[in-house]
Amino acid sequence: MPDFLIQIERLTEEPKRLEFDVSGTWWGDRERATQTEMCEVEEPFRFVLSASRVQDEVFIEGAVSGRVGRECSRCVKRYPHPLHDTYRLALSPIKGHESVDPEGKRGLAQNGLCLGEDLEAGLYRGSVVRLDDFFGEVIALAMPIQPLCDDACLGICSHCGENRNGPDEQRSQQSPGTATGCDCKDEKIESPFAVLASLKQDQGGGQGG
Ligand SMILES: [Zn+2]
Ligand SMILES: [Zn+2]
């Protein structure tokens, strides 16, 4: 298992560019260990960051990119989802009197790093900091909550159960949101609000006179 290490003493006020590749295997192991949702990593996560240090304060900022296979939340088709996110992290050395929770203690023992709740600040101890947990959290946060194969995805037909987007080859040639997946007619289902509105109107008309 690779270590994503930062050597504190090597950092200076001049930001230093660092790059780390996080493989799908690494992420898979982590997903199993933390029991998060499994996904296929189609393109390894690449962390490009700049790290600097002013006295004992360490500043890290950068971006992550990658691609994972997800299932569309509307049409359940698997599709490649590009991931891109930015992050910044300010690290201060832990003082003797500072107390941390059990999770922070584990982090300090394992990584020399205790991450704050918001993932933007943390405490470190020693001369080497492992960014494994930080990278893991950044990736987890970048994952889509409601994955969509396309913003205009039409989802599954409620009548026949077919994917309303139609076949991929056809889909790429037509304007987004065109339903070709089945021949079912779009039935206008009256919303409860529309019904209410018309009731109100009727009442208004009756009482108004
Ligand atoms: Zn979809
Ligand atoms: Zn249909």
Side-chain angles (χ1 to χ4, degrees), residues 18-96:
L18 297 166
E19 291 181 20
F20 301 93
D21 281 319
V22 179
S23 71
T25 321
W26 183 90
W27 177 247
D29 289 345
R30 190 181 171 88
E31 278 184 318
R32 266 186 291 280
T34 56
Q35 292 176 350
T36 49
E37 193 187 350
M38 297 294 285
C39 74
E40 214 176 299
V41 178
E42 299 192 352
E43 188 186 293
F45 306 106
R46 165 155 279 236
F47 283 80
V48 179
L49 55 90
S50 75
S52 58
R53 178 170 62 90
V54 179
Q55 289 172 1
D56 284 341
E57 306 292 319
V58 175
F59 302 98
I60 291 168
E61 65 177 325
V64 58
S65 58
R67 202 169 62 226
V68 293
R70 296 312 304 257
E71 196 172 78
C72 175
S73 58
R74 281 190 202 147
C75 71
V76 304
K77 195 190 79 169
R78 277 196 87 76
Y79 73 101
H81 186 96
L83 284 191
H84 188 84
D85 211 353
T86 57
Y87 47 86
R88 50 173 65 216
L89 179 65
L91 298 176
S92 309
I94 188 164
K95 307 277 192 311

Side-chain angles (χ1 to χ4, degrees), residues 36-185:
T36 49
E37 193 187 350
M38 297 294 285
C39 74
E40 214 176 299
V41 178
E42 299 192 352
E43 188 186 293
F45 306 106
R46 165 155 279 236
F47 283 80
V48 179
L49 55 90
S50 75
S52 58
R53 178 170 62 90
V54 179
Q55 289 172 1
D56 284 341
E57 306 292 319
V58 175
F59 302 98
I60 291 168
E61 65 177 325
V64 58
S65 58
R67 202 169 62 226
V68 293
R70 296 312 304 257
E71 196 172 78
C72 175
S73 58
R74 281 190 202 147
C75 71
V76 304
K77 195 190 79 169
R78 277 196 87 76
Y79 73 101
H81 186 96
L83 284 191
H84 188 84
D85 211 353
T86 57
Y87 47 86
R88 50 173 65 216
L89 179 65
L91 298 176
S92 309
I94 188 164
K95 307 277 192 311
H97 62 271
E98 269 174 302
S99 64
V100 293
D101 60 10
E103 173 63 18
K105 284 208 177 88
R106 185 201 60 78
L108 282 171
Q110 206 171 318
N111 305 315
L113 175 63
C114 159
L115 290 168
E117 285 274 301
D118 58 1
L119 220 59
E120 289 191 355
L123 299 169
Y124 74 90
R125 186 167 65 199
S127 56
V128 176
V129 162
R130 267 182 79 190
L131 292 177
D132 294 46
D133 278 354
F134 177 67
F135 284 175
E137 297 285 338
V138 168
I139 294 170
L141 276 177
M143 290 285 181
I145 296 164
Q146 270 199 310
L148 284 180
C149 64
D150 189 306
D151 283 343
C153 172
L154 295 164
I156 301 285
C157 174
S158 56
H159 302 289
C160 70
E162 286 294 318
N163 184 339
R164 294 183 69 219
N165 299 305
D168 283 351
E169 318 81 67
Q170 211 168 321
R171 197 176 168 186
S172 56
Q173 283 161 29
Q174 69 207 6
S175 59
T178 313
T180 52
C182 68
D183 296 327
C184 300
K185 290 270 175 296

